[in-house]
Amino acid sequence: MSRRHRRDPRESQSPDEVFSEMLVAARELLAVRSPLDAELMVSDMVGAWWGRRLRRGDAEQVLGEGLVDYAAKAGSPAALTLLIALAYLGTARQAAKAEGAALALIERDVARPRWADRLGAVKPTGCFVSRDAYGDQDTVVCTFGYRGADSGEDRHALVVVVDYNMRGIARDAWVSSHVEKLLEQAGAEAGANPMLRFEEIEPQQARALLESAMKATLEYGDRRTTAPVSDSYSAYHAFARSRIKALPPGRKRPAPLHSEAPYSRDRRAMLAAEFLASDAAEHLSDPSAASRCADHIIDYGCDQDFGRPLRVSPTKCRTFLLDWLPRKIMLSPAEQEAVPYVLGAWARFAARRTGLADEGVRATLDAIWEATATFAEAYRDPTTFGLDRDLLERLLPDGDLSALARRVFAFPFLLGTHGEVKLDLLNPADEADRRTLLGIDHGGELDRPDYDEHLAWHEEIAGRLWEGDPPQLWEAAQRLLDLGHDRHDVLHVLIEIAERIGDDPEELAIALDDIADIPDEPPV
């Protein structure tokens, strides 16, 4: 079966207009001959809103449950067939509502296709995984057949690509009805490539691995609107979710994510010391810079790669050098010069510890050297923006480069003097100094009766911006700043929302996501 592509509802349409079009499209369900085709059609249909962010609520609730209600009211054979499919393919809330609505229509003798009773009645027939020697990704293949069907009838395979360089997300998914050809091809590729391994795994292990991957995709999307998935992923998301539930539950953690033991701070320091004392690091000319770079490499492997600092690959090293470091870490000039060479030495050191084949080591080193020239362009040293190194160290004591813009927004007065106060000596990370800085920022408001309370709220928002908690706070501020609003007005809107919502983090995130502009009379 060919891959399908996502069809997004037009932004100008109302939900009822979208539902009406979907119900017209659902008439095709009455003409299909197999439950598999029906499930794929409905999965493609509801994939139209996967990953969408709505101002008025969760897309699965507003659009998904809204479609169930709309179909229930329509009461046609096409609506019933759609409800039966949603009872299997929908979220838990959608499924419960769809099942109840479908039963009501069945009691009214609304016609439905013969295959409707077989919808979702599948059993797993085998689970396999294709793994590369680097540990970059797993391609999981789960095969299924319909209960009561003739041998081979409607047999199909769900294929999901799990990408460990993207926090273990399910990056791609599709379905194939050419099961034997798919398995033979995967086995042949592994036989011809020593860097690939294709093997059968337990269904319980496959379920744990895929559940973890799909959860990672959703969590990735929570942080960055939507995860970087393939065009086909949304169309197959509902189908994949339903097939995973058909696998037997069991192991709670997928095997590829296991590490030998948690990496405590002491264990990380010991690993760095072992590396710096190894033959691989003997050519590094600046031990101090090399030590700090090694710490960054180890932290990246532990915190971003499921506790696997010794795993190296061309993709992982490129991602570290060209994506993570430029976004996250403030490097000194010496570290900027040293880090590609330290990374190359680390690749040799780690490969010896993990037994990575020489072919893999060479490919990894080639990728590092190819990325070295690009790194100088990708890493924009903040000092080139005119920011003093001492100021940067006050703003980024944790070295988190991604926090620079929001911390500058929170504390704009850090240089020069204010009266007798030398701003250069104040530390925005210190609670007492932070209050002094914010007091200076509000020097013209000393006469307001609620000054202390108002300043306390500014401290609350400044502290949240400093930590980036929740991330939606800075995202909302940026949207308002992009519209040309004054910094102080933006802060007041954030304060009003935080004061109104209280301590509920989920409600606060939703309210911040809903900010599109500042009212004509912003709260003060």
Side-chain angles (χ1 to χ4, degrees):
M1 296 187 184
S2 61
R3 300 190 188 191
R4 300 164 191 248
H5 296 282
R6 182 178 184 179
R7 295 176 284 107
D8 288 323
R10 293 188 295 272
E11 291 292 337
S12 59
Q13 289 181 303
S14 69
D16 280 356
E17 289 174 326
V18 174
F19 300 154
S20 178
E21 289 186 3
M22 287 185 167
L23 209 55
V24 171
R27 295 174 185 170
E28 297 180 28
L29 295 170
L30 301 173
V32 302
R33 297 186 176 183
S34 76
L36 177 60
D37 287 339
E39 289 180 64
L40 290 172
M41 288 175 63
V42 175
S43 180
D44 188 16
M45 190 181 299
V46 300
W49 59 69
W50 181 85
R52 290 187 62 189
R53 303 181 73 181
L54 304 179
R55 297 189 190 283
R56 56 186 180 274
D58 178 68
E60 293 289 0
Q61 183 175 350
V62 173
L63 297 176
E65 295 177 33
L67 176 60
V68 173
D69 293 337
Y70 191 90
K73 291 178 182 178
S76 64
L80 172 57
T81 307
L82 179 59
L83 288 170
I84 293 172
L86 288 173
Y88 177 66
L89 295 169
T91 64
R93 286 171 57 95
Q94 293 165 12
K97 293 185 69 173
E99 183 176 7
L103 289 173
L105 294 183
I106 291 172
E107 289 178 358
R108 287 162 46 188
D109 292 328
V110 176
R112 65 186 188 278
R114 294 181 188 175
W115 48 258
D117 292 336
R118 296 174 55 213
L119 205 70
V122 296
K123 58 183 178 181
T125 57
C127 295
F128 309 83
V129 63
S130 177
R131 290 172 170 155
D132 66 84
Y134 298 114
D136 282 335
Q137 70 177 34
D138 288 341
T139 300
V140 184
V141 181
C142 296
T143 63
F144 299 88
Y146 282 86
R147 292 189 176 92
D150 293 336
S151 178
E153 182 184 354
D154 280 339
R155 191 177 178 217
H156 54 282
L158 169 67
V159 185
V160 179
V161 178
V162 181
D163 193 325
Y164 297 111
N165 290 311
M166 292 184 181
R167 304 194 190 107
I169 67 169
R171 180 171 53 82
D172 200 359
W174 67 93
V175 173
S176 174
S177 57
H178 304 290
V179 176
E180 296 305 328
K181 182 178 179 181
L182 176 69
L183 297 177
E184 289 175 5
Q185 183 177 355
E189 288 177 355
N193 185 348
M195 299 297 289
L196 285 178
R197 189 175 75 221
F198 183 68
E199 61 188 8
E200 187 168 5
I201 58 176
E202 298 175 357
Q204 295 91 337
Q205 184 182 6
R207 175 168 177 163
L209 198 161
L210 293 177
E211 284 181 336
S212 175
M214 294 190 77
K215 180 181 179 182
T217 305
L218 290 176
E219 291 177 345
Y220 193 112
D222 287 344
R223 288 189 290 268
R224 298 184 181 182
T225 63
T226 55
V229 297
S230 69
D231 290 340
S232 70
Y233 182 81
S234 60
Y236 289 104
H237 176 263
F239 183 91
R241 181 178 58 203
S242 65
R243 285 299 184 269
I244 292 171
K245 292 178 182 177
L247 296 171
R251 303 173 67 165
K252 293 184 178 181
R253 285 183 60 93
L257 307 191
H258 278 310
S259 57
E260 293 181 3
Y263 274 83
S264 64
R265 184 54 54 187
D266 288 343
R267 190 180 179 206
R268 297 184 193 196
M270 184 178 296
L271 183 59
E274 291 173 2
F275 162 65
L276 294 170
S278 70
D279 293 342
E282 64 181 359
H283 68 285
L284 299 175
S285 58
D286 187 337
S288 179
S291 176
R292 292 191 295 272
C293 291
D295 289 341
H296 297 321
I297 294 169
I298 293 170
D299 287 344
Y300 177 74
C302 291
D303 301 334
Q304 305 296 317
D305 191 27
F306 305 97
R308 299 186 292 179
L310 290 170
R311 187 182 79 82
V312 294
S313 77
T315 301
K316 180 181 177 180
C317 290
R318 277 195 300 264
T319 302
F320 169 77
L321 203 58
L322 302 181
D323 179 52
W324 190 73
L325 273 180
R327 288 189 300 104
K328 293 293 294 180
I329 302 298
M330 185 179 70
L331 300 173
S332 69
E335 291 165 7
Q336 294 172 45
E337 179 71 24
V339 69
Y341 303 98
V342 178
L343 184 58
W346 178 267
R348 296 189 186 93
F349 168 77
R352 291 172 188 167
R353 298 281 292 265
T354 61
L356 181 64
D358 290 343
E359 179 182 348
V361 178
R362 287 193 296 270
T364 300
L365 292 175
D366 286 347
I368 293 172
W369 305 142
E370 289 171 5
T372 298
T374 310
F375 173 71
E377 302 173 7
Y379 188 83
R380 302 291 302 280
D381 190 333
T383 58
T384 64
F385 305 153
L387 297 176
D388 180 73
R389 173 66 58 174
D390 176 70
L391 173 61
L392 284 170
E393 290 176 353
R394 282 193 289 153
L395 285 167
L396 306 176
D398 52 3
D400 184 0
L401 191 55
S402 64
L404 179 60
R406 68 174 188 266
R407 291 177 182 176
V408 170
F409 173 76
F411 299 99
F413 301 110
L414 292 171
L415 296 174
T417 60
H418 181 81
E420 297 181 354
V421 178
K422 294 183 179 181
L423 301 178
D424 305 67
L425 301 179
L426 296 180
N427 178 11
D430 178 81
E431 185 175 338
D433 287 356
R434 180 176 290 181
R435 187 171 184 83
T436 301
L437 289 166
L438 292 174
I440 292 172
D441 195 13
H442 290 77
E445 301 182 48
L446 294 175
D447 293 335
R448 60 182 295 165
D450 63 341
Y451 175 79
D452 289 337
E453 181 183 358
H454 185 67
L455 193 62
W457 272 110
H458 272 278
E459 286 186 75
E460 170 74 16
I461 295 300
R464 286 181 174 273
L465 286 167
W466 183 272
E467 298 295 338
D469 179 30
Q472 291 85 354
L473 191 72
W474 177 230
E475 292 169 5
Q478 290 177 93
R479 289 198 301 273
L480 297 177
L481 291 170
D482 289 343
L483 292 172
H485 292 297
D486 175 79
R487 168 182 170 272
H488 225 65
D489 287 343
V490 172
L491 286 169
H492 288 165
V493 169
L494 301 180
I495 288 172
E496 187 276 330
I497 291 174
E499 189 173 10
R500 172 166 51 86
I501 298 299
D503 295 330
D504 188 324
E506 185 174 343
E507 289 297 323
L508 178 60
I510 293 172
L512 291 167
D513 274 338
D514 284 344
I515 298 178
D517 205 344
I518 291 181
D520 292 336
E521 296 183 3
V524 294

